[in-house]
Amino acid sequence: WFDHGSGEGGTIIDFGAKLFQCTYHEFIEKLTKGNFPNLPKAAPKQTADQPKSNKLEIITVGDLSNPELIRYLKERAISPELARRYCHEVEFKIGSRNYMAVGFANRSGGYELRNSWFKGSSSPKDISLISTGQDKVSVLEGFIDFLSVLQVENRTIRQLTHNSDFLVLNSLRLVNRALSIIHPYGRVNLFLDNDPSANQVKDTLKANGILYRDASPLYDNSKDLNEYLVSTKQLGQTKDEEQTLRPHRKSRGMRM
């Protein structure tokens, strides 16, 4: 298990002990209803001032160059050159093991972390604002969607995001933190996922008097913006291949 908000993780026994606020041995007794009394005693529960062995820790932050991360971005139809403008290569540690991920900074110094198998974040968890002082803002769920909206070949989406600031929630649970930032904007465009959780965010914005344009119908056949980007890239590639493979007819010239 892994808690993206706190950066904690571990085994299912770690989770059970944390949930019931007890030692490993006490949790196993609860789990087995005392049917295994001779289990060895586990280490005592950590106190508040002891380090958490499974907490995610940032080791280094640098420029994106790792081939596996570049491959991951390309699989998501994200240009590595674009990603380098907004993201970093982050080495992080969980327990005794080190990993690499594409990192996207939030306004509090934490990072959203993504690679081909991991989706998490470092503490502190927060929203991200990319501002150039515009009068309109585009609101997105995650940074992969943010990178996607900058690459989508859709005229309406491009018009909506032209001369726009960008607010990345990094988690829909953080929408309340974003309200004070969104309020001053004259125009608000939402590029959220097509799911019930996104509808709850829309309800929250309405309840707080924020008027917005919902752009999700522009990609309503896809789960989110990145899925839409990938599908349009694949469709474009297929058309190019069909054009290349299509036989060319010879000109017959003019008949007299």
Side-chain angles (χ1 to χ4, degrees):
W1 66 281
F2 188 83
D3 184 336
H4 301 297
S6 68
E8 297 176 86
T11 68
I12 192 65
I13 304 299
D14 296 321
F15 179 75
K18 182 178 179 64
L19 181 66
F20 289 97
Q21 297 183 341
C22 62
T23 67
Y24 292 169
H25 189 76
E26 289 169 341
F27 172 66
I28 292 173
E29 286 185 336
K30 288 178 181 289
L31 191 65
T32 63
K33 298 181 180 180
N35 291 328
F36 298 92
N38 296 322
L39 285 169
K41 292 287 184 181
K45 185 181 178 183
Q46 291 176 327
T47 59
D49 59 346
Q50 288 179 309
K52 297 174 181 178
S53 60
N54 289 309
K55 190 175 181 65
L56 188 151
E57 178 185 357
I58 300 294
I59 305 300
T60 61
V61 176
D63 296 332
L64 267 171
S65 61
N66 184 283
E68 290 299 320
L69 299 182
I70 298 300
R71 185 178 298 111
Y72 162 70
L73 289 169
K74 290 181 177 179
E75 288 173 353
R76 304 293 295 268
I78 301 296
S79 161
E81 291 74 23
L82 175 66
R84 288 188 183 101
R85 290 174 54 188
Y86 299 100
C87 303
H88 294 87
E89 182 173 301
V90 177
E91 181 181 6
F92 64 99
K93 181 178 182 180
I94 300 178
S96 60
R97 301 193 65 179
N98 288 21
Y99 308 96
M100 303 295 292
V102 179
F104 181 73
N106 64 41
R107 64 175 182 171
S108 296
Y111 283 90
E112 294 299 307
L113 302 169
R114 302 288 186 275
N115 61 32
S116 60
W117 58 271
F118 182 79
K119 180 178 180 180
S121 60
S122 67
S123 297
K125 182 86 171 180
D126 206 350
I127 61 178
S128 302
L129 178 65
I130 298 92
S131 175
T132 56
Q134 304 298 325
D135 184 49
K136 67 177 177 179
V137 63
S138 300
V139 181
L140 305 105
E141 288 195 28
F143 78 89
I144 295 295
D145 290 325
F146 164 61
L147 296 175
S148 299
V149 81
L150 297 178
Q151 294 186 232
V152 167
E153 297 291 339
N154 179 295
R155 182 176 298 178
T156 304
I157 290 177
R158 284 188 173 273
Q159 289 174 345
L160 292 176
T161 58
H162 181 65
N163 290 334
S164 175
D165 288 350
F166 294 90
L167 177 64
V168 184
L169 295 174
N170 294 321
S171 171
L172 295 183
R173 293 178 300 168
L174 302 182
V175 63
N176 288 324
R177 296 189 192 182
L179 296 177
S180 61
I181 295 176
I182 297 174
H183 262 296
Y185 283 97
R187 286 172 291 172
V188 179
N189 296 309
L190 300 187
F191 295 90
L192 304 181
D193 293 0
N194 286 303
D195 60 21
S197 297
N199 293 333
Q200 293 177 8
V201 170
K202 297 168 192 176
D203 291 341
T204 299
L205 296 180
K206 288 179 184 177
N208 285 273
I210 295 176
L211 300 178
Y212 60 83
R213 172 167 178 173
D214 182 6
S216 62
L218 296 173
Y219 47 95
D220 59 358
N221 290 326
S222 301
K223 179 179 71 70
D224 56 29
L225 265 170
N226 184 249
E227 184 176 284
Y228 175 69
L229 173 65
V230 172
S231 65
T232 54
K233 290 284 186 181
Q234 291 173 341
L235 180 61
Q237 183 178 3
T238 301
K239 287 182 177 179
D240 290 342
E241 291 172 350
E242 289 176 350
Q243 184 68 31
T244 302
L245 295 172
R246 186 177 300 158
H248 296 280
R249 295 183 178 179
K250 293 182 179 180
S251 175
R252 297 183 178 180
M254 184 180 293
R255 290 187 177 182
M256 302 299 292

